[in-house]
Amino acid sequence: MKFSLLIISIPVLFWFNSCHRGAGEGDNSASGEENYQTDEAGEIVITREQFESMDMEIGDPASMMFSNSVSANGYIDASPTGSAKISTLISGRVRQIYYSSGDYVKSRQTLFSLESHEIILLQQTYAESFQRLKLLKADYERLQLLWNEKIGAEKDFLKAESEYRSVQAEVEGLKARLNMMHIDPSVIENGHIVPYLDVKTPISGTITRQELVLGQHLIPLEPGMEVVNGNMLRLRLELFEKSIADLLVGQEVTFSIPDQPEKEFSATLSHIGKSVSSDTRTLECFAELSKEDKKLFVNNMYVEATIVTCEREARAIPEEALIREPERDFVLILIREEEGEMTFRKVPVQTGVTRLGYTEVLDNSLSSILLVGTYNLWTEE
């Protein structure tokens, strides 16, 4: 049965803030039932019995929270001071390994030890330079005393001072190298040589990488272990440059792990990068994880995230209550109920964003909307 509807246009002037978006896309048109009447004014008329048998519902728009968001991919990683790649400043053969991947270690704890000719030679050089410095210091102080008494020659005094200062700088340099390798210079000054070098961790954390074996030759600056402090994990995000204008420190970030998309975690945007990668055209940002969530993640874990850039309260109706047409959206409203008959009229509605099955309506004057059952009544002409 074909029928026509009288469409009443209701002009409404709206002011959109930065959070509003355009009407949703899509086409939900469907074939209607043929067990209702259409009067001459183009209004849809059904009986109360039909309304109840089809489980229809009428109501007003309800208040709910809507938000605009930006999608991003990222990783869980440690802050710059929360991870350390352990290497050595001098070559040597791995003598002993004390910990493996997964072990927790404290700051300044020995992870492994090295032994080599270079380690012993460095200590010998320091011992020789230290003893020579003692002699030069005594000679320098003697000539300085003579020079102050105007007895000694200035040339001899200046030569002694030059040699003393030179060896003093050499000793201080060797001492600094020994301290960097955690070898106590005072032990060498007392005539003892340490036959091996202990390599320590600069931070507390869990060993996440251990690639050493006994007898392996380790060259300077070659990483042998990696330690990550789980309490300093954060969320590193990569966003396209078009999203920069919407970002603010403090915005909420929700994210999930691809293998467990049903579990959602939250973080807070803490740092926004100031440079866009020339290769990927993305901006690097960071978000702070909650203390409880940090215990659930490991370093370099991939995540899919959403940054909530704007949130507001708005009136909304179920998406199924809308009649979607190419140029605009409509709803059916109840205009009267008399003698067991219910009369509905199709009216235009201005819509905003859609979230969780609800669509924002920007017309504050709408009421008595057919919220459930629109699909059963509406058919295209």
Side-chain angles (χ1 to χ4, degrees):
M1 177 173 62
K2 298 294 184 176
F3 59 90
S4 60
L5 295 177
L6 176 60
I7 300 176
I8 301 176
S9 299
I10 304 177
V12 183
L13 180 62
F14 296 97
W15 178 263
F16 297 96
N17 60 32
S18 61
C19 292
H20 287 156
R21 295 183 177 176
E25 299 179 356
D27 188 358
N28 293 341
S29 61
S31 297
E33 300 290 339
E34 298 187 359
N35 56 351
Y36 56 84
Q37 305 177 36
T38 306
D39 64 13
E40 295 180 356
E43 297 168 345
I44 301 175
V45 181
I46 63 173
T47 65
R48 166 59 69 170
E49 290 77 13
Q50 290 172 324
F51 178 85
E52 293 175 353
S53 65
M54 290 187 285
D55 295 324
M56 297 180 179
E57 293 182 15
I58 295 174
D60 298 333
S63 295
M64 68 176 298
M65 298 303 296
F66 283 88
S67 60
N68 293 346
S69 60
V70 175
S71 298
N73 296 326
Y75 295 88
I76 301 291
D77 70 356
S79 63
T81 57
S83 65
K85 293 184 177 181
I86 313 300
S87 60
T88 177
L89 298 175
I90 194 169
S91 61
R93 183 172 64 89
V94 178
R95 173 181 176 271
Q96 188 68 45
I97 302 173
Y98 300 102
Y99 297 96
S100 300
S101 295
D103 289 338
Y104 180 82
V105 293
K106 294 183 179 180
S107 176
R108 312 295 294 179
Q109 201 162 352
T110 301
L111 301 180
F112 58 94
S113 60
L114 298 176
E115 56 186 5
S116 70
H117 175 70
E118 288 84 354
I119 296 173
I120 297 175
L121 181 61
L122 175 63
Q123 296 178 77
Q124 288 178 338
T125 303
Y126 176 76
E128 293 171 359
S129 298
F130 179 76
Q131 295 301 325
R132 187 154 55 97
L133 179 64
K134 291 173 64 176
L135 294 175
L136 291 174
K137 181 180 180 181
D139 191 39
Y140 164 70
E141 291 176 347
R142 180 180 63 82
L143 291 175
Q144 184 181 41
L145 183 60
L146 294 175
W147 169 250
N148 291 337
E149 296 293 333
K150 305 298 181 180
I151 299 176
E154 180 181 11
K155 179 180 178 182
D156 295 336
F157 168 70
L158 293 177
K159 181 179 179 181
E161 182 182 32
S162 176
E163 292 179 353
Y164 168 67
R165 299 299 183 191
S166 177
V167 176
Q168 185 183 43
E170 180 183 335
V171 169
E172 290 299 320
L174 292 170
K175 181 184 292 186
R177 290 182 61 186
L178 291 170
N179 287 326
M180 291 174 64
M181 292 184 290
H182 308 291
I183 297 177
D184 187 0
S186 63
V187 174
I188 304 172
E189 293 169 5
N190 293 327
H192 301 287
I193 297 294
V194 180
Y196 54 85
L197 168 67
D198 287 333
V199 180
K200 303 177 183 293
T201 172
I203 64 171
S204 299
T206 302
I207 298 176
T208 58
R209 188 168 67 94
Q210 197 285 96
E211 300 179 351
L212 299 176
V213 294
L214 294 178
Q216 175 183 345
H217 182 75
L218 196 64
I219 62 176
L221 304 181
E222 178 185 2
M225 289 187 181
E226 183 179 48
V227 178
V228 173
N229 187 340
N231 294 325
M232 302 186 73
L233 291 177
R234 60 182 179 174
L235 186 60
R236 176 167 57 89
L237 302 172
E238 296 177 354
L239 293 94
F240 289 105
E241 55 184 318
K242 64 180 181 181
S243 305
I244 296 176
D246 298 326
L247 301 179
L248 290 173
V249 171
Q251 289 173 336
E252 180 186 3
V253 181
T254 59
F255 65 96
S256 61
I257 304 168
D259 293 339
Q260 297 176 311
E262 71 282 357
K263 292 184 179 180
E264 191 173 85
F265 305 93
S266 63
T268 303
L269 193 64
S270 58
H271 295 81
I272 300 174
K274 299 299 181 182
S275 178
V276 175
S277 170
S278 58
D279 297 327
T280 62
R281 307 308 303 172
T282 57
L283 181 75
E284 192 174 63
C285 299
F286 297 94
E288 181 66 26
L289 302 172
S290 66
K291 186 177 181 180
E292 295 75 17
D293 288 345
K294 289 179 181 180
K295 302 176 183 178
L296 305 176
F297 306 116
V298 296
N299 196 38
N300 293 326
M301 181 180 287
Y302 177 78
V303 300
E304 295 175 349
T306 300
I307 301 176
V308 180
T309 58
C310 184
E311 191 171 33
R312 69 195 184 284
E313 187 176 5
R315 286 157 46 92
I317 60 175
E319 192 174 7
E320 62 179 298
L322 289 171
I323 301 170
R324 299 285 194 180
E325 294 190 1
E327 295 183 357
R328 68 185 312 174
D329 300 326
F330 297 84
V331 294
L332 295 178
I333 63 171
L334 178 67
I335 58 173
R336 63 179 173 270
E337 182 177 0
E338 298 175 345
E339 299 178 354
E341 292 186 340
M342 307 176 71
T343 303
F344 295 88
R345 179 178 296 161
K346 177 186 174 186
V347 299
V349 60
Q350 184 70 33
T351 58
V353 298
T354 298
R355 178 175 180 263
L356 301 177
Y358 283 81
T359 299
E360 177 186 9
V361 291
L362 306 178
D363 187 348
N364 294 325
S365 64
L366 290 177
S367 61
S368 300
I369 302 171
L370 183 61
L371 301 178
V372 179
T374 304
Y375 179 88
N376 296 328
L377 291 187
W378 182 249
T379 183
E380 294 188 22
E381 296 186 10

